[in-house]
């Protein structure tokens, strides 16, 4: 199994500011993902965080708005830039393990609940 | 149309009742996951299935590959089971259902 520590767990931010969310995994994992869950909605994949290269973004998400870092196989950050109230969501880090294949078990962080005023 | 459909969307049950949540999918998959999300937002993986049935405590998950359908059953439900249950299918990518919000009343 994989244990994921995600922080902050929640934050209240002002419009126009940026917030960085951290995700730490207790083991090396190949596949790491960032999701957004808007109020009352299911999970939407933002991007796949790739170690040593740029993240792969899904349609509707761009690097300027959601820059992602992945310096090693156990850590990643997601920044929500120039925030607006529409960015108020839960942001979740997820990994696939231990096999690392897409069909492997899913593990999630505790989520970061972001409110933008 | 969503690749993964869940029903019901909301469910209220009395403590002790037997609960069933359904999930239908339209894509080819290598695995089907049942996830539990508590009010704080954290998500826990309950089951990963590729065939048949799995049981863990009071929770049972089944999958019918031919019918592209899975069910999550909770026996002797308890208020602490109150959460959102999410079905997720993994093929060449991940597809998530919209979740079933379960409330178990004492």
């Amino acid at each position: 199994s994989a244990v994921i520590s995600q922080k902050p767990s929640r934050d209240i931010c002002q419009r126009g500011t940026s917030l960085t969310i951290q995700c730490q995994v207790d083991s090396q994992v190949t596949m790491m993902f960032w999701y957004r869950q808007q109020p009352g909605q299911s999970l939407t994949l933002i991007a796949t965080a790739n170690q040593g290269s740029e993240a792969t973004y899904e349609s509707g998400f761009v690097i300027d708005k959601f820059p992602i870092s992945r310096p090693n196989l156990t850590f990643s950050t997601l920044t929500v830039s120039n925030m607006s109230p529409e960015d108020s969501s839960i942001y979740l880090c997820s990994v696939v393990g231990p096999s690392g294949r897409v069909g492997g078990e899913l593990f999630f962080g505790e989520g970061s609940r972001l409110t933008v005023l | 149309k969503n690749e993964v459909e869940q029903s019901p969307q909301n469910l209220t049950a009395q403590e002790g009742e037997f609960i069933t949540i359904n999930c239908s999918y339209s894509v080819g998959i290598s695995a089907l996951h049942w996830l539990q999300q508590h009010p704080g937002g954290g998500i826990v993986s309950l089951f990963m299935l590729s065939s048949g049935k799995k049981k863990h405590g009071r929770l049972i998950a089944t999958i019918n590959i031919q019918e592209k359908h899975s069910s999550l059953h909770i026996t002797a439900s308890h208020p602490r089971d109150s959460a959102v249950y999410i079905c997720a299918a993994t093929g060449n990518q991940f597809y998530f259902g919209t979740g079933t919000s379960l409330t178990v009343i004492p």
Side-chain angles (χ1 to χ4, degrees), chain A residues 18-77:
Chain A
S18 298
L19 178 75
T20 295
I21 302 167
Q22 298 181 3
C23 177
Q24 178 74 54
V25 189
D26 69 342
S27 58
Q28 293 186 338
V29 292
T30 305
M31 304 183 76
M32 185 178 283
F33 308 94
W34 287 98
Y35 291 90
R36 181 175 72 182
Q37 186 180 32
Q38 294 177 302
Q41 304 293 316
S42 189
L43 300 169
T44 301
L45 180 63
I46 297 172
T48 302
N50 302 308
Q51 192 268 329
S53 64
E54 269 193 12
T56 305
Y57 289 84
E58 297 300 307
S59 176
F61 298 96
V62 295
I63 188 171
D64 289 346
K65 176 67 176 177
F66 297 101
I68 288 171
S69 78
R70 183 144 187 222
N72 56 54
L73 292 176
T74 64
F75 184 79
S76 178
T77 66

Side-chain angles (χ1 to χ4, degrees), chain B residues 3-25:
Chain B
E3 290 84 357
V4 176
E5 299 276 359
Q6 273 184 253
S7 64
Q9 189 173 1
N10 296 285
L11 181 57
T12 300
Q14 288 292 135
E15 182 173 358
E17 283 186 7
F18 180 86
I19 290 164
T20 296
I21 301 170
N22 296 299
C23 174
S24 297
Y25 55 92

Side-chain angles (χ1 to χ4, degrees), chain A residues 42, chain B residues 1-9 20-27 29 31-35 47 49 60-73 85-90 95-100:
Chain A
S42 189
Chain B
K1 181 183 183 300
N2 293 331
E3 290 84 357
V4 176
E5 299 276 359
Q6 273 184 253
S7 64
Q9 189 173 1
T20 296
I21 301 170
N22 296 299
C23 174
S24 297
Y25 55 92
S26 58
V27 294
I29 66 168
L32 189 290
H33 306 257
W34 282 101
L35 310 171
F47 294 104
L49 294 165
I60 302 167
T62 64
I63 188 169
N64 184 317
I65 299 295
Q66 287 73 28
E67 295 185 4
K68 294 190 173 182
H69 181 269
S70 176
S71 293
L72 176 68
H73 306 286
Y85 293 84
I86 301 171
C87 171
T90 57
Y95 305 92
F96 292 89
T98 54
T100 295

